[in-house]
Amino acid sequence: MADAAAVEMQAMNLETEKQEVVAALAGAFGVAPPIDTGLTLDEKYALCRSVGEECIQEEELRLLLEKKPVPICYDGFEPSGRMHIAQGVMKCLNVNKLTKAGCHFKFWVADWFALMNNKMGGDLKKIQKVGQYMVEVWKAVGMDLTRVEFIWSSEEINKRGHEYWPLVLDIARRNKLARILRCTQIMGRSETDDLAASQIFYPVMQCADIFFLKADICQLGVDQRKVNMLAREYCDDIKRKLKPVILSHHMLAGLKQGQEKMSKSDPDSAIFMEDSEADVKTKLKKAYCPPGEVAGNPCLEYIKYIVLPWCGVFSIQRPDENGGNKDYTTYEDVEKDFVDGALHPGDVKPALARHINVILQPVRDHFVNNKEAKALLDTIKKYKVTK
């Protein structure tokens, strides 16, 4: 019995030492230490996979979660204006899922990239103000920041230029101009546009960011797919076996008919994170929502990707003669009733506005009650958004 107890104690000590080594290594690489998520590998995988409309490759994601104690996820964003609900609420949902699964999330605050893409008229000080505002929004809406890191591109590249620029140049020399031009959609441009030289260099630098930040998972929108694939192709070029996993989230449609995604330069195309209750009601009242039609219906997308994941329920309130109140807990049930005519746009829009306003209220309160946040918002509202 004594021998068995000694063996058990030795095993416990070895496990403790192993955890300490893993935690020390995590700290050395600038990531949060491992946590006991209480999740099985299958549960971790399902949670992470639910973030992406597309995953390249699923087996690589599963292996990553099995083998690496703290996978590093990354997303980069241009500070380019007020934050819409997809960037605010959907991103919060996705980040919280990934950190719950034990990942460390790096936000690349791409101020230099916004400058290269002529956002805020190319004024870096304005761009950085917008970046500060966006971080405030995520804090207010409920993003769990315990395993989240915000890294400003201008600061980090200046600090570690000896690592960054050789990587950028190597990616550039290994790719033809035509391949890079195919990536220009990542910044809302087309390869047929009259591009500035900085905009041609932009995709090369974004590709380099993935390796510079040591990202295991690229968690960006499907509109960023081409440059993420460029990163995987670069791994082939340099004979690197471990490629970044691409976990691309859905791009929420704009509120107007035919708008494939929201636009910050068109205030009526989206709900913004600090819109007033009246703004939300007005925008959704005018939103495209043809009876019985699912394809291209932004109101249904808001229910599927915002309300149900956040609230867990979509509640309709209406008189008994119009069908009475009803709670939906799955999107499939919402869609079925909408297609069958049991759920009318006149039911959907006020209910959607009510739920969205509940979600946004903490953000509104933060920008009213916090002096620094209020000053930031007042400042950026005066800025002209440039494409």
Side-chain angles (χ1 to χ4, degrees):
M1 291 290 289
D3 288 345
V7 169
E8 184 178 352
M9 180 62 71
Q10 186 179 23
M12 290 173 62
N13 289 339
L14 285 171
E15 182 60 29
T16 300
E17 289 176 10
K18 178 183 174 184
Q19 290 175 1
E20 288 174 351
V21 169
V22 169
L25 286 170
F29 284 100
V31 299
I35 57 170
D36 181 5
T37 62
L39 302 173
T40 66
L41 175 60
D42 286 343
E43 289 169 336
K44 283 184 182 180
Y45 172 78
L47 192 60
C48 293
R49 183 62 185 86
S50 70
V51 166
E53 185 171 75
E54 178 184 58
C55 178
I56 303 172
Q57 298 283 348
E58 290 183 334
E59 60 272 19
E60 293 176 17
L61 174 61
R62 186 178 181 86
L63 187 64
L64 173 68
L65 295 171
E66 181 183 3
K67 299 296 185 182
K68 188 167 184 180
V70 188
I72 297 173
C73 305
Y74 129 89
D75 185 9
F77 66 93
E78 285 186 1
S80 57
R82 293 170 62 202
M83 186 184 286
H84 54 56
I85 198 167
Q87 194 171 19
V89 177
M90 277 183 66
K91 178 51 66 178
C92 179
L93 285 163
N94 291 342
V95 169
N96 287 353
K97 285 180 179 180
L98 291 165
T99 56
K100 184 180 178 181
C103 298
H104 178 93
F105 204 102
K106 292 184 177 182
F107 272 109
W108 188 236
V109 190
D111 50 353
W112 268 6
F113 291 77
L115 173 64
M116 289 192 291
N117 203 15
N118 199 38
K119 297 301 172 71
M120 295 290 122
D123 187 322
L124 187 59
K125 288 184 178 179
K126 288 182 178 179
I127 289 166
Q128 290 172 339
K129 279 286 186 186
V130 175
Q132 293 167 21
Y133 146 82
M134 295 175 89
V135 173
E136 288 296 319
V137 173
W138 280 318
K139 286 180 183 176
V141 77
M143 184 179 287
D144 181 359
L145 298 177
T146 54
R147 302 178 69 79
V148 171
E149 184 178 7
F150 293 98
I151 306 169
W152 292 77
S153 68
S154 57
E155 293 178 5
E156 199 67 12
I157 292 171
N158 277 333
K159 191 190 305 180
R160 296 166 52 205
H162 61 288
E163 298 175 49
Y164 188 76
W165 293 115
L167 181 58
V168 171
L169 293 175
D170 193 49
I171 294 168
R173 76 179 183 85
R174 290 175 184 270
N175 286 278
K176 302 296 183 184
L177 180 59
R179 177 66 182 91
I180 300 304
L181 287 174
R182 289 202 300 273
C183 292
T184 52
Q185 73 174 67
I186 65 173
M187 50 185 169
R189 310 293 175 182
S190 163
E191 56 190 287
T192 60
D193 288 351
D194 184 16
L195 299 170
S198 62
Q199 291 168 326
I200 296 172
F201 216 50
Y202 187 120
V204 180
M205 290 175 64
Q206 184 170 325
C207 180
D209 296 342
I210 297 165
F211 303 98
F212 185 61
L213 296 171
K214 297 179 171 59
D216 302 303
I217 299 173
C218 301
Q219 205 295 281
L220 299 90
V222 292
D223 62 334
Q224 305 295 301
R225 185 182 190 277
K226 288 184 178 180
V227 76
N228 292 332
M229 289 301 297
L230 182 67
R232 288 179 63 89
E233 291 166 12
Y234 178 65
C235 289
D236 291 333
D237 291 339
I238 62 174
K239 306 296 189 289
R240 171 174 162 160
K241 290 183 178 180
L242 295 178
K243 300 178 181 180
V245 174
I246 304 173
L247 198 56
S248 304
H249 62 253
H250 176 77
M251 299 298 293
L252 206 60
L255 292 175
K256 296 179 179 179
Q257 183 177 2
Q259 285 184 321
E260 292 185 0
K261 65 177 187 176
M262 300 173 174
S263 170
K264 291 181 182 179
S265 59
D266 181 0
D268 290 330
S269 74
I271 303 295
F272 291 91
M273 290 299 291
E274 71 297 318
D275 273 349
S276 68
E277 286 192 36
D279 288 336
V280 171
K281 290 176 181 177
T282 300
K283 288 181 180 183
L284 289 175
K285 188 175 182 180
K286 295 189 296 184
Y288 181 66
C289 188
E293 290 188 27
V294 175
N297 190 323
C299 291
L300 295 188
E301 287 214 349
Y302 270 51
I303 296 168
K304 181 177 182 179
Y305 293 102
I306 301 287
V307 174
L308 282 170
W310 192 275
C311 304
V313 64
F314 179 62
S315 299
I316 296 293
Q317 296 177 359
R318 58 191 173 187
D320 290 340
E321 58 268 26
N322 292 334
N325 297 344
K326 186 168 183 177
D327 291 341
Y328 294 91
T329 56
T330 69
Y331 172 73
E332 290 73 19
D333 288 342
V334 173
E335 184 177 300
K336 182 180 184 304
D337 276 6
F338 191 77
V339 171
D340 292 346
L343 191 59
H344 190 269
D347 305 323
V348 168
K349 289 184 175 185
L352 184 54
R354 189 175 68 254
H355 285 84
I356 295 295
N357 276 321
V358 169
I359 294 170
L360 298 186
Q361 194 55 48
V363 180
R364 295 187 193 114
D365 292 342
H366 181 67
F367 282 99
V368 169
N369 299 326
N370 183 292
K371 290 182 180 178
E372 291 79 10
K374 184 178 186 301
L376 269 176
L377 180 59
D378 290 343
T379 298
I380 70 155
K381 278 186 172 180
K382 297 173 186 173
Y383 294 163
K384 181 181 179 182
V385 177
T386 54
K387 293 184 178 181

